[in-house]
Amino acid sequence: MNKLSINYALLSTLFLGACSGSSGNAPSEPPATNTPAEITNTQQKIALNQLGYFETSSKIAIIPNVASTSFTIVDASNNEEVYSGTLSNAKNWPNAGSDSVKQADFSSLVAPGSYFIRVLGVDDSATFKIDSHVYNDLHIAAQRYFYLNRASIEIEQQFAGDFARPLGHADTNVMYHPSADEQLSTQDETLASPKGWYDAGDYGKYVVNSGISTYSLLAAFEHTPNLYAQQQLNIPESNNNIPDILDEALWNLEWLFTMQGEDGGVYHKLTTLEWPGEEMPHEDTRTRFVIGKSTSASLNFAATFAVASRVIAPFDQNKSEQYLLAAIDAWKWALEHPSQIYVQPNDVLSGEYGDNILKDEFAWAAAELFISTGVEGFFTTYKELDLEYSAPSWINVSYLSLSSLLYKAENLLSPQDYTALKDKQKALADTFVQQYQNNAYLVPIETPNLIWGSNSAALNKAMVLLQAATVQNDSQYLNVAQGIVDYILGRNPTEYSFVTGFGHKYPVNPHHRISQSDGINTAVPGMLVGGPHAGRQDDCSYEYSEPARTYSDSWCSYSTNEVAINWNAPLVYVLGMLTERK
Ligand code: G3I
Ligand code: 9MR
């Protein structure tokens, strides 16, 4: 790829003043306390990773606060006790309620097999596995979620079985909303903007959220290429010479590419004005519009295409160059329009993905363009932004820049600059270790993390921790990442494994229009639901009031039980990295 020689450092002054501070780390909750009173608890169940563990993983289950001080592990194939251990003291996680819990650590049990946990005073746990392939099916299903949620293509029976469905949303004649282009909106002009993935349970396509989602899949490949080079997802492109995970990412990149206007700026989203009904994609025939043009969409686009240009280069040089030029055009537009915040027009009800802090988006785009072009000015700009880092999310992408620089820029940076970035990562990962140690369920989730999409907030922390395990060469971070995966797959106060189709109790009524209207009893498998959300930002009623239990497996609970591309993408990343590190 040609290195470009544009001095972007000169342009940095254009936008530095326009950026406000990034969101910092949230304050911590009070430390967990020991509860002296021990009771026999017959209501609560043992909470554990319902799938199981690799032989080498840390393995810890959460036990209700019974009088017993010990536990045993029983081999499910012959009912023989194979392990016994001592329970920890009882501790409380205020977000889970007033009951305390104990921890059963059986990490030193490494023999592959099927087991359950027995503790006097509670029901035996469900069975779980120890083996070296324990997350393989889940990892594949989490990636196939993207295929099954593609727009503009018939989902064929040979690739989808019962989940085959007709083509929905061709998106070849999309209208311009006045917020996107006043003039084109009055001229009956249309835009061809096919392909892409549905964002979530709705059928919209949103650039900001597409950016971090596509990036996470590209990063999964960029950081663990050998694992993905061998994986078959059974998608239409499976027989070409490109790894399936990249073929899937390309489906969305090809859509994103169409969202760039002639001036380089990027439209914010492509949706209907109202929410679609409870209907299949092909039944939603409402008019679709491109809506808004924003700095955040343009910067997410710039960063994502800068990454895509280097990841796709070995497979398609032309596309790689095309992507890099598009990224640069979007960056230039953002410099000229540094604070074009997306404001939801009055006649639009679809998701907003609004963000008025753009410093992190500028930094992420600058970092990725630096890595993909080698142009020093981008890094100068990056340093001037002087970011604070926190776990990534669609609204705060600061850490994505750090991640890419640590993985891809060691040869481009001075040892001092590289070490400074490495230290920032360590500091962030250490705060998650601290949170994990303070939490009775051994998960680095605090009150401010129990937001809409809390499960992805947890998995994005796992992504940071897994990267820290590699970059800092310190395996303690792996145990904390494992704790997050355990939480997602059942070691939490709700008894649910939060991924459809995986575990012994999982969501069956997700807020996912396809699953709701396809006439099939089971939901599309491999989808991570949003998870407990103290804010209850919907009209649903909830059985429990404790924040970490505020989850409802029902259609009405879109703020805890929807699915989304930016939630499944870190699930894919984390399972891949965990498998690679086992
Ligand atoms: O930014 C504020 C922060 O300053 C404040 O401290 C915090 C307190 O709760 O709230 C933060 O804003 C929240 C924001 O997410 C960022 O986390 C909003 O309250 C919250 O309403 C918002 O939720 C978003 C939701 O859309 C509603 O806009 C979710 O993150 C986002 O995942 C979700 O995305 C939807 C799309 O709009 C439409 N498609 C489905 C998709 C998934 O549900
Ligand atoms: O279905 C919509 C979901 O995809 C969005 O994330 C959510 C965000 O507000 O909104 C859902 O739509 C609901 C709407 O907001 C309010 N009326 C009920 C709709 C779902 O049945």
Side-chain angles (χ1 to χ4, degrees):
M1 189 186 307
N2 291 333
K3 297 284 178 206
L4 298 149
S5 54
I6 305 162
N7 187 351
Y8 285 91
L10 282 179
L11 299 172
S12 64
T13 47
L14 280 179
F15 65 89
L16 280 171
C19 305
S20 37
S22 74
S23 350
N25 287 326
S28 24
E29 64 193 349
T33 51
N34 284 356
T35 315
E38 297 205 335
I39 49 160
T40 296
N41 189 326
T42 47
Q43 266 100 62
Q44 273 185 277
K45 298 210 164 73
I46 293 175
L48 83 175
N49 183 325
Q50 298 175 12
L51 259 59
Y53 311 87
F54 295 130
E55 291 90 331
T56 50
S57 305
S58 101
K59 308 174 190 76
I60 302 175
I62 298 300
I63 314 294
N65 188 10
V66 289
S68 178
T69 55
S70 64
F71 69 97
T72 54
I73 308 280
V74 180
D75 184 332
S77 67
N78 55 18
N79 263 327
E80 281 179 17
E81 287 186 3
V82 292
Y83 187 93
S84 65
T86 305
L87 295 171
S88 72
N89 289 335
K91 284 179 158 187
N92 169 253
W93 181 19
N95 277 316
S98 54
D99 286 349
S100 292
V101 292
K102 297 180 173 185
Q103 297 154 3
D105 187 342
F106 51 101
S107 302
S108 49
L109 177 64
V110 296
S114 223
Y115 304 96
F116 59 86
I117 304 178
R118 177 163 287 162
V119 180
L120 201 64
V122 277
D123 290 346
D124 289 344
S125 78
T127 55
F128 63 90
K129 282 186 175 164
I130 297 180
D131 76 41
S132 52
H133 306 290
V134 72
Y135 306 134
N136 278 14
D137 290 350
L138 173 60
H139 191 214
I140 300 274
Q143 291 171 76
R144 283 178 47 77
Y145 154 81
F146 291 89
Y147 168 65
L148 294 170
N149 285 278
R150 283 185 187 183
S152 320
I153 186 174
E154 178 191 349
I155 302 298
E156 292 177 53
Q157 205 261 337
Q158 58 172 313
F159 306 117
D162 290 349
F163 296 102
R165 59 174 171 81
L167 179 152
H169 305 100
D171 286 340
T172 44
N173 289 296
V174 177
M175 305 290 290
Y176 289 88
H177 188 268
S179 60
D181 194 310
E182 188 80 52
Q183 212 184 351
L184 293 176
S185 76
T186 55
Q187 292 172 350
D188 270 356
E189 282 279 343
T190 59
L191 176 72
S193 193
K195 302 191 180 179
W197 307 304
Y198 299 128
D199 184 59
D202 63 324
Y203 297 138
K205 305 193 288 197
Y206 304 80
V207 169
V208 165
N209 202 41
S210 259
I212 184 169
S213 308
T214 314
Y215 164 84
S216 302
L217 297 187
L218 293 171
F221 178 79
E222 195 169 44
H223 300 169
T224 45
N226 297 336
L227 178 82
Y228 289 102
Q230 287 155 25
Q231 259 182 357
Q232 288 287 316
L233 298 181
N234 187 29
I235 57 177
E237 302 80 8
S238 282
N239 290 328
N240 69 11
N241 68 341
I242 300 177
D244 284 1
I245 192 172
L246 295 188
D247 278 320
E248 199 48 66
L250 279 164
W251 187 263
N252 202 57
L253 286 163
E254 294 293 275
W255 162 65
L256 270 177
F257 196 74
T258 68
M259 290 292 279
Q260 185 168 43
E262 296 208 333
D263 58 357
V266 179
Y267 302 116
H268 194 73
K269 60 180 175 179
L270 188 168
T271 70
T272 47
L273 299 183
E274 301 189 336
W275 295 106
E278 286 172 45
E279 58 200 347
M280 290 294 279
H282 65 281
E283 292 165 339
D284 173 26
T285 53
R286 291 171 183 78
T287 306
R288 292 178 41 112
F289 293 83
V290 282
I291 302 172
K293 187 181 265 185
S294 67
T295 312
S296 59
S298 302
L299 289 168
N300 275 284
F301 178 105
T304 304
F305 277 101
V307 179
S309 75
R310 60 178 189 258
V311 175
I312 216 69
F315 306 99
D316 189 335
Q317 190 62 33
N318 285 342
K319 197 160 267 178
S320 163
E321 284 169 17
Q322 193 187 30
Y323 283 180
L324 188 56
L325 291 173
I328 290 170
D329 284 347
W331 168 263
K332 283 187 192 160
W333 187 91
L335 291 186
E336 287 153 13
H337 306 81
S339 47
Q340 194 157 313
I341 304 298
Y342 176 74
V343 180
Q344 182 93 313
N346 287 336
D347 59 339
V348 177
L349 290 179
S350 57
E352 184 166 359
Y353 288 116
D355 185 0
N356 50 20
I357 299 174
L358 300 177
K359 176 174 167 165
D360 51 314
E361 281 80 9
F362 270 109
W364 181 34
E368 301 297 0
L369 283 162
F370 170 59
I371 296 165
S372 294
T373 63
V375 174
E376 193 64 32
F378 286 116
F379 188 67
T380 311
T381 296
Y382 181 78
K383 265 173 85 167
E384 282 165 5
L385 286 165
D386 192 22
L387 279 192
E388 281 175 42
Y389 302 96
S390 52
S393 66
W394 67 261
I395 206 169
N396 188 340
V397 291
S398 59
Y399 178 80
L400 304 184
S401 64
L402 181 59
S403 163
S404 289
L405 289 167
L406 290 173
Y407 270 87
K408 304 305 289 183
E410 190 165 6
N411 297 335
L412 292 171
L413 294 173
S414 69
Q416 292 88 328
D417 281 337
Y418 191 78
T419 305
L421 293 173
K422 206 171 149 184
D423 291 347
K424 296 275 189 190
Q425 184 197 48
K426 181 168 164 30
L428 182 62
D430 285 345
T431 62
F432 302 156
V433 174
Q434 198 75 57
Q435 293 171 355
Y436 167 93
Q437 286 165 350
N438 286 341
N439 185 296
Y441 278 73
L442 287 173
V443 65
I445 297 182
E446 302 205 321
T447 307
N449 306 131
L450 289 164
I451 50 169
W452 191 320
S454 63
N455 284 337
S456 78
L459 283 166
N460 279 313
K461 288 187 177 182
M463 180 178 130
V464 174
L465 287 155
L466 286 163
Q467 296 182 353
T470 303
V471 173
Q472 312 290 337
N473 195 19
D474 185 342
S475 61
Q476 68 157 332
Y477 299 122
L478 272 185
N479 297 344
V480 184
Q482 178 70 46
I484 294 170
V485 170
D486 294 346
Y487 171 91
I488 294 294
L489 296 178
R491 196 178 79 189
N492 63 59
T494 70
E495 294 176 20
Y496 279 91
S497 155
F498 288 121
V499 187
T500 54
F502 287 84
H504 57 82
K505 183 173 180 183
Y506 51 77
V508 293
N509 296 307
H511 190 88
H512 178 240
R513 281 175 172 71
I514 296 173
S515 297
Q516 178 75 359
S517 54
D518 61 6
I520 302 174
N521 273 339
T522 50
V524 170
M527 304 191 297
L528 176 76
V529 296
H533 171 33
R536 301 171 173 227
Q537 288 174 295
D538 51 45
D539 294 330
C540 204
S541 62
Y542 292 87
E543 200 179 336
Y544 299 102
S545 57
E546 298 88 354
R549 288 183 203 268
T550 304
Y551 167 72
S552 171
D553 178 20
S554 55
W555 163 259
C556 72
S557 179
Y558 51 80
S559 81
T560 77
N561 205 33
E562 193 165 352
V563 306
I565 53 174
N566 63 315
W567 306 342
N568 252 64
L571 176 66
V572 170
Y573 184 99
V574 164
L575 292 172
M577 188 71 115
L578 208 57
T579 303
E580 181 85 351
R581 290 285 318 225
K582 73 171 188 282

